[in-house]
């Protein structure tokens, strides 16, 4: 059996990942930043409706697992990927 080496490009999730930057053409480990996304607003609305507590609906904005994740190149700050929760 002949094995050919395969370059694994891992799919980007909420964790920093190795990608080739489209801007500077370097293999880089992305820097991640959590941004409020669709799911954040949905959870916010849901909490508002069913808990009825105005302060509680802001909780999803403090919970990173409810947010989208932006991946940027650490070298040139190019936005490479947005990991969406929905
Ligand atoms: Zn870059």
């Amino acid at each position: 059996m002949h094995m050919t080496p395969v370059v694994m490009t891992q799919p980007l999730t909420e964790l920093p990942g190795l990608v080739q930057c489209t801007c500077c053409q370097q293999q880089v480990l992305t820097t991640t930043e959590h941004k409020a996304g669709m799911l954040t607003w949905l959870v916010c609305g849901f909490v508002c409706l069913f808990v009825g507590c105005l302060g509680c609906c802001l909780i999803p904005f403090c919970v990173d697992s409810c947010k989208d994740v932006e991946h940027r190149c650490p070298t040139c700050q190019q936005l490479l990927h947005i990991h969406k929760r929905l």
Side-chain angles (χ1 to χ4, degrees):
M1 273 268 281
H2 179 70
M3 298 287 280
T4 41
V6 179
V7 179
M8 287 295 288
T9 35
Q10 55 198 123
L12 292 171
T13 59
E14 64 246 68
L15 299 170
L18 275 176
V19 289
Q20 178 155 18
C21 176
T22 49
C23 188
C24 54
Q25 306 297 318
Q26 299 288 313
Q27 185 94 0
V28 294
L29 186 67
T30 60
T31 53
T32 54
E33 198 179 331
H34 290 84
K35 290 279 169 75
M38 274 297 289
L39 184 65
T40 322
W41 288 101
L42 269 179
V43 175
C44 171
F46 186 86
V47 172
C48 253
L49 274 173
F50 292 96
V51 182
C53 165
L54 210 62
C56 292
C57 69
L58 296 175
I59 289 174
F61 289 95
C62 305
V63 180
D64 280 349
S65 56
C66 288
K67 296 180 188 173
D68 291 349
V69 181
E70 284 186 1
H71 288 265
R72 286 181 186 278
C73 171
T75 312
C76 64
Q77 304 304 312
Q78 170 77 22
L79 180 61
L80 299 173
H81 178 76
I82 299 178
H83 175 65
K84 289 188 181 297
R85 303 287 177 182
L86 286 174

